[in-house]
Structures are given as structure tokens and as C-alpha cells.
Amino acid sequence: MVILTAVLTTGALTLTACGSRDDSGDGKDSGKKTEIIIGVDAPLTGANSATGLGIQGGVQIAVNDANKNNTVPGVTFKVQALDDKAIPASGQANATQLVQDEKVLGVVGPLNSGVATQMQQVFATAGLVEISPSNTAPELTQGKNWQTSKSRPFKTYFRTATTDALQGGFAAEYAYGTLKKRKVFVVDDKQTYGAGLAKLFKAGFTEAGGKVAGEDHVNTGDTDFSALVTKIKSAKADLVYYGGQYDESEKLTKQLKDGGVKIPLFGGDGMFTPTYIETAGKTSEGDLVTSVGQPVDSLPSAADFIKKYKASGLKGDYGTYGGYSYDAATAIIKAIGNVVKDGKIPDGARAKIVDEVQKTKFDGIAGPVSFDEFGDTNNKQLTVYQVVDGKWKAVKSGTAKG
């Protein structure tokens, strides 16, 4: 697999992987500033690239603001964005590349929980802070036995998105209580995120009193779902729950409706992108998703961010994780500001920055930003969206239980 290490340019903004640190090391005497890099790992091409580019864009806006406002005196921030193509091995290689550059003092990403499982150890060994704006698999912060005994695996890993442990139950409650659905057909893409989310939805739905009419799995990259459509039709389900990303689900829902199965498809935040609606067309009408937080377009705190994003020419979907990416980058920048004074990077800076991130507490553009003892966000807000007249419309927001 070829890993993208080239300089990436988005619109008029250049994301550089290198630069010259001031020879004096402090950026004050000579008028130059110390360069510090915020790394980004996300799928920038191929599967999930719409949301991946939104992560990159959110970080870039945060870095632009920090530089403009001189948030950390003596420091100029740069972004180095690497493409993991939603492939775990690529993410691991990118993590290795980032930790080897001493100028990298924090990383935002990845998008996919499965990719994160291959990156966490690399960052932990190097003591480099990593904040994901989108990972939702509970085991990333609470360990493999999180349902019975929570234990934090890596102190360097944090996230600004809440977990599937809350999202799956939130969706199940809405499906049973509000939609009045009673028979669900559950499908997942066999990936860490998708399979985990589907399992938690199923548990919540059956606990509420619903029945599972059938279950099946797909592979990432699949395009022909005719056999699956037949199974769903035979099961006489009144809802399909899909654990996975938009790349497959947007095709599944179209083939489902074209095949005469006129029931909604419900999924998680991996489906929450305009691309889903654009590809599925009218067949997506009535479909639903849950996503972390509240609609960023409805938040006054995010208005300036959205204006800058739209004016910048940045690609990708800012609405899914752009706000959480901005807040993740801001948390890293604030932590760096508490460690790096007048452009001087002290010994052990990476470890000190991790400690400062743990203490984070500020009002972000997507909501309050702080972390619990596991590195999870304390912001438990979730929203259900439904496709109405060709657009995602928020139909319920609330604080998840748990």
C-alpha cells in the first residue's frame, strides 16, 4: 500500500510536512518563530474521504485561527495530513511517520475505530497525544472488557466523540419508542465500528421489547446487495439497522427500495454525510442516523467556523466531524501553549502535553470540551437525523444515558 507523504494542498491552503525551526530555538531574538506540527490522519481519498477531508479541514481552520491570533507566542503551527484510506495498516504506518518527526506535538484522527486500534500503541510508545473527533468503539478508551471492567489502555489517546455504548442504545430507544418499530433486520460491515455499533443497537432494541427478524454481514467495497435484499424482504422486518459507513449503506438502501422493500434504513454517524443522500437519491427519504453532539449548523458557537470553512475552498463535509476536529486541534494547541513558552520546546514536551490535554476544560465550537479518566469526552449529547425532502433534518437531540 502506498502511503501518501506528499505535500497536500487544499484550495489556497498548503499543508506542509516540514519547515525550518529558528536556529536560536526560541523564535524571539531573531524574529522567527518555532514551527510546531499538528498531524492529521484520516481517509483523504477513497472510502470515507468526504468525512476524512472534513476532519482535515476542521484542523486546518483551528491552526489558521491559532496562527492569526498568536495563541501560542513564539510558535507557528502547521498541519501535516496523511491519508490512511480507511486501512488499519496504513494508519499504523502514518503513525510511525508522525512520531519520528520531532516537530509533531499532537495528532488529530483517525476517522475509523478499526484504524485507531493499529495506531494507539505507536503513539503511546512515543508519548504523543492523539485525539480522535470520530472514533466511537468503547474498547479504545475503556479496554476490551469495558462492559464488565473498564480499564484505560493508553493515556495518550482521547476523543471528542462519545461512544457506541451510548449511541447504539440511543438509536434503539428511538427506533422502538418513537418510530414504534418492532422487527429489525440487523446488518454490519464486520469492521470494529460497524459490528460493535450493530451489536449494541440489537441489545438495546431487544431489551426494549423488539425482535430481531434476521442478521447478515457485508464486506467493505461491496456494491451488489440483491441477495441481502431478498433476505430482508423474506424476514418481513419493518426496519433495517446498518452498522457501518455510508459507502455501502447508500447503495444498500437504494437497492432495498428499488426491490420493493419500503422500510427505512437506520444507521450511525458513519452514514451521516450529504454524500449518502446524493448517492441514494430519493430512495434515502425517511432513512435515519444518529450522530454525536448537536447539529453544528444550529450552534451559534460554530457560526464563525462554518463561515471560514465555506470561504476557504476546503473540500469535504464539515458537518459530521469538522466541529469536533476543530475542538480536538484546539485542545492540543491550548495544551502546547501551557508547555511551550516563547517558542522554547522543553525536554519531555510530548509527555507534558499529554498531561495538559487531560486537564482540558473549555467551551468548544461544538460544545464543552473536557475528558474523563478514560480519555472520553464528557459531552454526551447525541442527535437523531432523518432524511426529509432530500436533506438531513434533526428530529431528536438529547443527552445519552450511561
Side-chain angles (χ1 to χ4, degrees):
M1 196 68 205
V2 177
I3 308 301
L4 296 186
T5 56
V7 173
L8 298 170
T9 303
T10 308
L13 300 170
T14 301
L15 310 181
T16 84
C18 59
S20 56
R21 178 182 293 191
D22 172 23
D23 292 338
S24 67
D26 61 16
K28 185 168 68 173
D29 296 334
S30 66
K32 293 183 180 179
K33 291 187 174 183
T34 299
E35 180 178 284
I36 290 176
I37 294 173
I38 306 295
V40 174
D41 177 86
L44 307 178
T45 59
N48 315 151
S49 59
T51 41
L53 288 166
I55 290 174
Q56 176 187 347
V59 175
Q60 186 65 60
I61 299 294
V63 163
N64 292 348
D65 285 349
N67 288 335
K68 180 181 178 181
N69 299 329
N70 196 31
T71 301
V72 183
V75 169
T76 295
F77 289 99
K78 302 270 186 174
V79 176
Q80 182 179 7
L82 300 180
D83 183 9
D84 63 32
K85 294 182 171 63
I87 299 172
S90 296
Q92 185 178 47
N94 289 348
T96 301
Q97 179 180 335
L98 289 167
V99 301
Q100 289 173 345
D101 187 342
E102 64 176 11
K103 294 182 181 180
V104 178
L105 295 187
V107 177
V108 176
L111 167 68
N112 306 89
S113 292
V115 175
T117 62
Q118 302 304 305
M119 301 179 75
Q120 288 178 302
Q121 184 65 67
V122 178
F123 289 129
T125 300
L128 181 62
V129 71
E130 168 193 16
I131 306 180
S132 173
S134 55
N135 293 165
T136 52
E139 58 264 33
L140 294 173
T141 48
Q142 300 170 19
K144 292 182 179 180
N145 299 317
W146 64 272
Q147 290 175 302
T148 55
S149 178
K150 296 180 181 180
S151 177
R152 186 176 186 177
F154 303 103
K155 68 174 292 187
T156 52
Y157 177 88
F158 300 81
R159 54 178 155 202
T160 49
T162 196
T163 75
D164 292 334
L166 302 179
Q167 189 176 183
F170 191 74
E173 180 184 317
Y174 188 83
Y176 188 87
T178 302
L179 298 179
K180 307 299 181 184
K181 301 300 182 181
R182 295 297 181 262
K183 292 179 67 179
V184 64
F185 196 103
V186 180
V187 183
D188 70 69
D189 64 0
K190 298 187 282 190
Q191 302 300 304
T192 302
Y193 162 75
L197 185 59
K199 181 180 179 181
L200 289 162
F201 173 87
K202 183 175 70 172
F205 190 74
T206 53
E207 184 179 344
K211 294 183 178 180
V212 176
E215 296 181 68
D216 208 344
H217 312 278
V218 301
N219 298 303
T220 55
D222 283 354
T223 58
D224 182 0
F225 301 103
S226 54
L228 177 56
V229 169
T230 299
K231 289 182 182 179
I232 295 171
K233 192 172 186 177
S234 299
K236 300 188 184 306
D238 55 14
L239 176 73
V240 173
Y241 188 82
Y242 182 81
Q245 306 290 340
Y246 65 89
D247 303 82
E248 290 76 37
S249 58
E250 64 194 13
K251 300 176 182 67
L252 171 59
T253 197
K254 188 175 191 311
Q255 292 176 36
L256 194 67
K257 312 299 175 43
D258 288 346
V261 187
K262 308 296 184 181
I263 59 176
L265 189 148
F266 200 165
D269 51 320
M271 283 171 43
F272 183 50
T273 171
T275 306
Y276 177 86
I277 300 172
E278 291 164 6
T279 302
K282 292 182 179 179
T283 58
S284 65
E285 197 72 13
D287 288 351
L288 304 108
V289 298
T290 50
S291 191
V292 295
Q294 295 176 281
V296 69
D297 287 302
S298 71
L299 298 173
S301 55
D304 184 58
F305 163 76
I306 294 170
K307 182 180 178 181
K308 289 174 180 175
Y309 200 107
K310 290 180 176 179
S312 69
L314 286 163
K315 297 179 181 179
D317 168 30
Y318 70 81
T320 310
Y321 303 118
Y324 279 108
S325 301
Y326 182 99
D327 288 345
T330 299
I332 292 172
I333 289 166
K334 286 178 176 290
I336 290 171
N338 291 333
V339 173
V340 178
K341 303 298 182 181
D342 297 321
K344 296 178 181 177
I345 301 176
D347 292 339
R350 285 180 170 176
K352 293 175 182 177
I353 290 165
V354 171
D355 292 339
E356 290 299 323
V357 168
Q358 184 65 63
K359 302 174 191 174
T360 292
K361 189 173 183 179
F362 67 94
D363 289 329
I365 65 168
V369 181
S370 64
F371 304 103
D372 66 15
E373 68 270 31
F374 301 103
D376 281 326
T377 178
N378 285 312
N379 182 3
K380 310 299 184 184
Q381 283 282 316
L382 287 164
T383 300
V384 177
Y385 296 85
Q386 187 167 30
V387 181
V388 178
D389 296 329
K391 293 182 179 179
W392 289 116
K393 178 183 177 181
V395 293
K396 179 184 179 181
S397 290
T399 301
K401 298 176 182 178

